[in-house]
mmCIF file of all heavy atoms in Angstrom:
data_model
loop_
_atom_site.group_PDB
_atom_site.id
_atom_site.type_symbol
_atom_site.label_atom_id
_atom_site.label_comp_id
_atom_site.label_asym_id
_atom_site.label_seq_id
_atom_site.Cartn_x
_atom_site.Cartn_y
_atom_site.Cartn_z
ATOM 1 N N ILE A 289 7.439 -51.459 -71.528
ATOM 2 C CA ILE A 289 7.994 -51.737 -70.240
ATOM 3 C C ILE A 289 7.306 -52.956 -69.599
ATOM 4 O O ILE A 289 6.090 -53.058 -69.643
ATOM 5 C CB ILE A 289 7.871 -50.544 -69.254
ATOM 6 C CG1 ILE A 289 8.470 -49.260 -69.929
ATOM 7 C CG2 ILE A 289 8.536 -50.787 -67.932
ATOM 8 C CD1 ILE A 289 9.949 -49.421 -70.228
ATOM 9 N N HIS A 290 8.064 -53.870 -69.002
ATOM 10 C CA HIS A 290 7.513 -55.065 -68.406
ATOM 11 C C HIS A 290 7.413 -54.867 -66.876
ATOM 12 O O HIS A 290 8.357 -54.380 -66.244
ATOM 13 C CB HIS A 290 8.413 -56.268 -68.752
ATOM 14 C CG HIS A 290 8.489 -56.556 -70.211
ATOM 15 N ND1 HIS A 290 7.546 -57.369 -70.844
ATOM 16 C CD2 HIS A 290 9.350 -56.159 -71.134
ATOM 17 C CE1 HIS A 290 7.855 -57.450 -72.111
ATOM 18 N NE2 HIS A 290 8.941 -56.714 -72.355
ATOM 19 N N HIS A 291 6.250 -55.291 -66.354
ATOM 20 C CA HIS A 291 6.053 -55.229 -64.921
ATOM 21 C C HIS A 291 5.628 -56.617 -64.421
ATOM 22 O O HIS A 291 5.320 -57.493 -65.202
ATOM 23 C CB HIS A 291 4.889 -54.248 -64.585
ATOM 24 C CG HIS A 291 5.114 -52.835 -65.093
ATOM 25 N ND1 HIS A 291 6.040 -52.011 -64.627
ATOM 26 C CD2 HIS A 291 4.511 -52.212 -66.174
ATOM 27 C CE1 HIS A 291 6.013 -50.869 -65.254
ATOM 28 N NE2 HIS A 291 5.095 -50.958 -66.227
ATOM 29 N N LEU A 292 5.616 -56.761 -63.080
ATOM 30 C CA LEU A 292 5.113 -57.979 -62.478
ATOM 31 C C LEU A 292 3.583 -57.909 -62.456
ATOM 32 O O LEU A 292 3.007 -57.028 -61.845
ATOM 33 C CB LEU A 292 5.675 -58.127 -61.054
ATOM 34 C CG LEU A 292 5.150 -59.360 -60.272
ATOM 35 C CD1 LEU A 292 5.597 -60.682 -60.982
ATOM 36 C CD2 LEU A 292 5.638 -59.312 -58.857
ATOM 37 N N ALA A 293 2.944 -58.831 -63.168
ATOM 38 C CA ALA A 293 1.481 -58.831 -63.237
ATOM 39 C C ALA A 293 0.897 -59.152 -61.856
ATOM 40 O O ALA A 293 1.386 -60.060 -61.163
ATOM 41 C CB ALA A 293 0.989 -59.821 -64.289
ATOM 42 N N GLU A 294 -0.091 -58.415 -61.493
ATOM 43 C CA GLU A 294 -0.771 -58.637 -60.191
ATOM 44 C C GLU A 294 -2.283 -58.742 -60.416
ATOM 45 O O GLU A 294 -2.862 -58.058 -61.245
ATOM 46 C CB GLU A 294 -0.500 -57.483 -59.234
ATOM 47 C CG GLU A 294 0.970 -57.223 -58.975
ATOM 48 C CD GLU A 294 1.203 -56.030 -58.068
ATOM 49 O OE1 GLU A 294 0.203 -55.381 -57.683
ATOM 50 O OE2 GLU A 294 2.357 -55.710 -57.783
ATOM 51 N N GLU A 295 -2.910 -59.593 -59.652
ATOM 52 C CA GLU A 295 -4.364 -59.682 -59.757
ATOM 53 C C GLU A 295 -4.900 -60.178 -58.410
ATOM 54 O O GLU A 295 -4.385 -61.138 -57.793
ATOM 55 C CB GLU A 295 -4.805 -60.647 -60.842
ATOM 56 C CG GLU A 295 -6.317 -60.732 -60.949
ATOM 57 C CD GLU A 295 -6.784 -61.574 -62.125
ATOM 58 O OE1 GLU A 295 -5.931 -62.152 -62.792
ATOM 59 O OE2 GLU A 295 -7.993 -61.674 -62.335
ATOM 60 N N ASN A 296 -5.911 -59.535 -57.937
ATOM 61 C CA ASN A 296 -6.590 -59.935 -56.702
ATOM 62 C C ASN A 296 -8.114 -59.877 -57.014
ATOM 63 O O ASN A 296 -8.667 -58.822 -57.127
ATOM 64 C CB ASN A 296 -6.276 -59.007 -55.527
ATOM 65 C CG ASN A 296 -7.014 -59.372 -54.279
ATOM 66 O OD1 ASN A 296 -7.482 -60.502 -54.141
ATOM 67 N ND2 ASN A 296 -7.155 -58.432 -53.374
ATOM 68 N N ARG A 297 -8.702 -61.025 -57.157
ATOM 69 C CA ARG A 297 -10.118 -61.082 -57.514
ATOM 70 C C ARG A 297 -10.900 -61.694 -56.324
ATOM 71 O O ARG A 297 -10.485 -62.694 -55.734
ATOM 72 C CB ARG A 297 -10.305 -61.941 -58.741
ATOM 73 C CG ARG A 297 -11.734 -62.032 -59.198
ATOM 74 C CD ARG A 297 -11.853 -63.027 -60.374
ATOM 75 N NE ARG A 297 -11.110 -62.564 -61.507
ATOM 76 C CZ ARG A 297 -11.584 -61.795 -62.472
ATOM 77 N NH1 ARG A 297 -12.828 -61.371 -62.405
ATOM 78 N NH2 ARG A 297 -10.851 -61.423 -63.501
ATOM 79 N N GLN A 298 -12.043 -61.082 -56.028
ATOM 80 C CA GLN A 298 -12.924 -61.588 -55.015
ATOM 81 C C GLN A 298 -14.327 -61.778 -55.600
ATOM 82 O O GLN A 298 -14.838 -60.847 -56.225
ATOM 83 C CB GLN A 298 -12.982 -60.635 -53.803
ATOM 84 C CG GLN A 298 -11.660 -60.467 -53.079
ATOM 85 C CD GLN A 298 -11.743 -59.452 -51.978
ATOM 86 O OE1 GLN A 298 -12.616 -58.553 -52.025
ATOM 87 N NE2 GLN A 298 -10.863 -59.561 -51.010
ATOM 88 N N ASN A 299 -14.895 -62.928 -55.369
ATOM 89 C CA ASN A 299 -16.245 -63.174 -55.833
ATOM 90 C C ASN A 299 -17.056 -63.674 -54.676
ATOM 91 O O ASN A 299 -16.647 -64.574 -53.906
ATOM 92 C CB ASN A 299 -16.293 -64.223 -56.941
ATOM 93 C CG ASN A 299 -15.522 -63.759 -58.196
ATOM 94 O OD1 ASN A 299 -15.938 -62.864 -58.845
ATOM 95 N ND2 ASN A 299 -14.384 -64.396 -58.446
ATOM 96 N N GLY A 300 -18.242 -63.124 -54.499
ATOM 97 C CA GLY A 300 -19.101 -63.524 -53.390
ATOM 98 C C GLY A 300 -20.530 -63.731 -53.892
ATOM 99 O O GLY A 300 -21.119 -62.829 -54.472
ATOM 100 N N LEU A 301 -21.073 -64.895 -53.651
ATOM 101 C CA LEU A 301 -22.484 -65.209 -53.950
ATOM 102 C C LEU A 301 -23.199 -65.572 -52.657
ATOM 103 O O LEU A 301 -22.702 -66.398 -51.899
ATOM 104 C CB LEU A 301 -22.589 -66.341 -54.967
ATOM 105 C CG LEU A 301 -24.014 -66.790 -55.314
ATOM 106 C CD1 LEU A 301 -24.771 -65.699 -56.006
ATOM 107 C CD2 LEU A 301 -23.981 -68.065 -56.166
ATOM 108 N N LYS A 302 -24.312 -64.954 -52.430
ATOM 109 C CA LYS A 302 -25.035 -65.137 -51.158
ATOM 110 C C LYS A 302 -26.521 -65.213 -51.464
ATOM 111 O O LYS A 302 -27.068 -64.401 -52.188
ATOM 112 C CB LYS A 302 -24.747 -63.942 -50.245
ATOM 113 C CG LYS A 302 -25.295 -64.098 -48.829
ATOM 114 C CD LYS A 302 -25.085 -62.789 -48.062
ATOM 115 C CE LYS A 302 -23.611 -62.407 -47.954
ATOM 116 N NZ LYS A 302 -22.887 -63.308 -47.065
ATOM 117 N N TYR A 303 -27.171 -66.224 -50.889
ATOM 118 C CA TYR A 303 -28.617 -66.319 -51.037
ATOM 119 C C TYR A 303 -29.206 -67.027 -49.824
ATOM 120 O O TYR A 303 -28.500 -67.725 -49.093
ATOM 121 C CB TYR A 303 -29.013 -67.029 -52.327
ATOM 122 C CG TYR A 303 -28.459 -68.410 -52.501
ATOM 123 C CD1 TYR A 303 -29.102 -69.559 -52.012
ATOM 124 C CD2 TYR A 303 -27.202 -68.614 -53.131
ATOM 125 C CE1 TYR A 303 -28.563 -70.824 -52.177
ATOM 126 C CE2 TYR A 303 -26.686 -69.873 -53.328
ATOM 127 C CZ TYR A 303 -27.368 -70.984 -52.840
ATOM 128 O OH TYR A 303 -26.852 -72.233 -53.030
ATOM 129 N N GLY A 304 -30.471 -66.817 -49.620
ATOM 130 C CA GLY A 304 -31.081 -67.410 -48.456
ATOM 131 C C GLY A 304 -32.592 -67.131 -48.372
ATOM 132 O O GLY A 304 -33.118 -66.319 -49.143
ATOM 133 N N ALA A 305 -33.231 -67.801 -47.427
ATOM 134 C CA ALA A 305 -34.686 -67.630 -47.178
ATOM 135 C C ALA A 305 -34.920 -67.758 -45.709
ATOM 136 O O ALA A 305 -34.270 -68.560 -45.037
ATOM 137 C CB ALA A 305 -35.466 -68.648 -47.940
ATOM 138 N N GLU A 306 -35.817 -66.916 -45.208
ATOM 139 C CA GLU A 306 -36.170 -66.932 -43.779
ATOM 140 C C GLU A 306 -37.659 -66.773 -43.650
ATOM 141 O O GLU A 306 -38.323 -66.082 -44.442
ATOM 142 C CB GLU A 306 -35.429 -65.834 -43.002
ATOM 143 C CG GLU A 306 -33.936 -65.925 -43.047
ATOM 144 C CD GLU A 306 -33.274 -64.750 -42.297
ATOM 145 O OE1 GLU A 306 -34.025 -64.008 -41.628
ATOM 146 O OE2 GLU A 306 -32.044 -64.615 -42.411
ATOM 147 N N SER A 307 -38.233 -67.453 -42.665
ATOM 148 C CA SER A 307 -39.667 -67.378 -42.435
ATOM 149 C C SER A 307 -39.927 -67.454 -40.916
ATOM 150 O O SER A 307 -39.322 -68.305 -40.210
ATOM 151 C CB SER A 307 -40.391 -68.515 -43.138
ATOM 152 O OG SER A 307 -41.795 -68.309 -43.117
ATOM 153 N N VAL A 308 -40.764 -66.557 -40.425
ATOM 154 C CA VAL A 308 -41.129 -66.490 -39.016
ATOM 155 C C VAL A 308 -42.649 -66.610 -38.874
ATOM 156 O O VAL A 308 -43.388 -65.858 -39.503
ATOM 157 C CB VAL A 308 -40.632 -65.201 -38.336
ATOM 158 C CG1 VAL A 308 -41.038 -65.160 -36.879
ATOM 159 C CG2 VAL A 308 -39.143 -65.041 -38.517
ATOM 160 N N LEU A 309 -43.075 -67.542 -38.043
ATOM 161 C CA LEU A 309 -44.495 -67.679 -37.774
ATOM 162 C C LEU A 309 -44.752 -67.323 -36.309
ATOM 163 O O LEU A 309 -44.066 -67.830 -35.415
ATOM 164 C CB LEU A 309 -44.915 -69.150 -38.040
ATOM 165 C CG LEU A 309 -46.395 -69.517 -37.898
ATOM 166 C CD1 LEU A 309 -46.747 -70.641 -38.876
ATOM 167 C CD2 LEU A 309 -46.706 -69.983 -36.473
ATOM 168 N N PHE A 310 -45.690 -66.427 -36.072
ATOM 169 C CA PHE A 310 -45.980 -66.032 -34.687
ATOM 170 C C PHE A 310 -47.478 -65.822 -34.522
ATOM 171 O O PHE A 310 -48.207 -65.495 -35.451
ATOM 172 C CB PHE A 310 -45.196 -64.774 -34.303
ATOM 173 C CG PHE A 310 -45.502 -63.566 -35.169
ATOM 174 C CD1 PHE A 310 -46.413 -62.630 -34.784
ATOM 175 C CD2 PHE A 310 -44.830 -63.392 -36.326
ATOM 176 C CE1 PHE A 310 -46.699 -61.542 -35.547
ATOM 177 C CE2 PHE A 310 -45.080 -62.308 -37.175
ATOM 178 C CZ PHE A 310 -46.044 -61.367 -36.746
ATOM 179 N N SER A 311 -47.887 -65.987 -33.277
ATOM 180 C CA SER A 311 -49.298 -65.863 -32.951
ATOM 181 C C SER A 311 -49.439 -65.189 -31.572
ATOM 182 O O SER A 311 -48.723 -65.580 -30.636
ATOM 183 C CB SER A 311 -49.996 -67.193 -32.957
ATOM 184 O OG SER A 311 -51.388 -67.075 -32.672
#
Side-chain angles (χ1 to χ4, degrees):
I289 305 299
H290 297 273
H291 305 288
L292 177 63
E294 302 176 0
E295 182 175 3
N296 177 22
R297 182 187 297 271
Q298 297 175 336
N299 297 291
L301 176 64
K302 186 186 301 288
Y303 56 89
E306 298 178 8
S307 190
V308 180
L309 184 149
F310 60 95
S311 182

